[in-house]
Amino acid sequence: MEEKATGNEKKQQQKEYEQYVKAVTPTHNLWQQMLHAFITGGIICCIGQFILNYAEDLGLDKQSAGSWCSLLLVLLSVLLTGFGLFQKIAKWGGAGALVPITGFANSVAAPAIEYKAEGQVFGIGCKIFTIAGPVILYGIFTSWVLGAVYWVGKMMGIV
């Protein structure tokens, strides 16, 4: 009888645990999250387009205007990260804030700010690329692989 009681107790504990998990797990509205991401990403893109148009109106060529646009979006992202505002924007906008170049700038600036108390070398120097490092690594590796595939294709006359 004790084995049966233990089995019943385990089932009861499992049921209580499942109810607990269901109660504390946050629920998310997918459509609302997608709308927030769309709005946030759209605003970032509109800011970028405004910078691009303004730079071209000042007489810069397309490439120079694009460089200034990227530079200013990164600067804006780093400033917002430094003032603690980017995290609030990213929490509301989700991937809409994290996917563009602004999210990459945030992923470099946030660890630098967080670990500055540990010093220049062991804090900022060691931790600055903790989030962005894998993106840089796999981006470079993928570029190398695709370049090699392109080179082989060109050598074989496929490309």
Side-chain angles (χ1 to χ4, degrees):
M1 282 305 260
E2 287 181 24
E3 288 180 26
K4 229 179 191 184
T6 305
N8 287 337
E9 288 176 11
K10 284 185 180 181
K11 287 181 184 178
Q12 180 63 28
Q13 286 177 341
Q14 181 67 27
K15 192 181 256 187
E16 288 174 6
Y17 179 72
E18 288 172 6
Q19 290 173 346
Y20 169 75
V21 168
K22 192 174 183 180
V24 297
T25 302
T27 56
H28 300 286
N29 182 336
L30 179 63
W31 293 103
Q32 183 180 27
Q33 286 180 319
M34 289 191 306
L35 178 65
H36 288 185
F38 179 78
I39 291 169
T40 304
I43 290 171
I44 291 169
C45 290
C46 285
I47 292 169
Q49 190 64 50
F50 172 78
I51 294 169
L52 196 62
N53 291 346
Y54 185 71
E56 286 178 353
D57 287 345
L58 291 176
L60 295 175
D61 61 290
K62 258 192 182 323
Q63 188 173 2
S64 296
S67 296
W68 275 101
C69 176
S70 297
L71 179 82
L72 290 173
L73 285 174
V74 167
L75 176 65
L76 180 63
S77 176
V78 169
L79 289 173
L80 290 173
T81 300
F83 289 120
L85 298 174
F86 193 89
Q87 184 62 27
K88 293 175 183 175
I89 294 168
K91 185 175 181 179
W92 188 84
L98 298 176
V99 170
I101 193 170
T102 54
F104 185 76
N106 171 262
S107 72
V108 173
I113 293 167
E114 184 176 344
Y115 293 106
K116 71 179 177 186
E118 295 179 28
Q120 294 290 319
V121 175
F122 293 112
I124 296 171
C126 292
K127 305 287 187 175
I128 193 166
F129 292 115
T130 54
I131 298 171
V135 175
I136 295 169
L137 171 70
Y138 290 113
I140 291 171
F141 178 72
T142 303
S143 298
W144 182 85
V145 168
L146 293 175
V149 168
Y150 179 77
W151 180 73
V152 169
K154 197 156 179 104
M155 295 295 285
M156 296 176 72
I158 298 171
V159 179

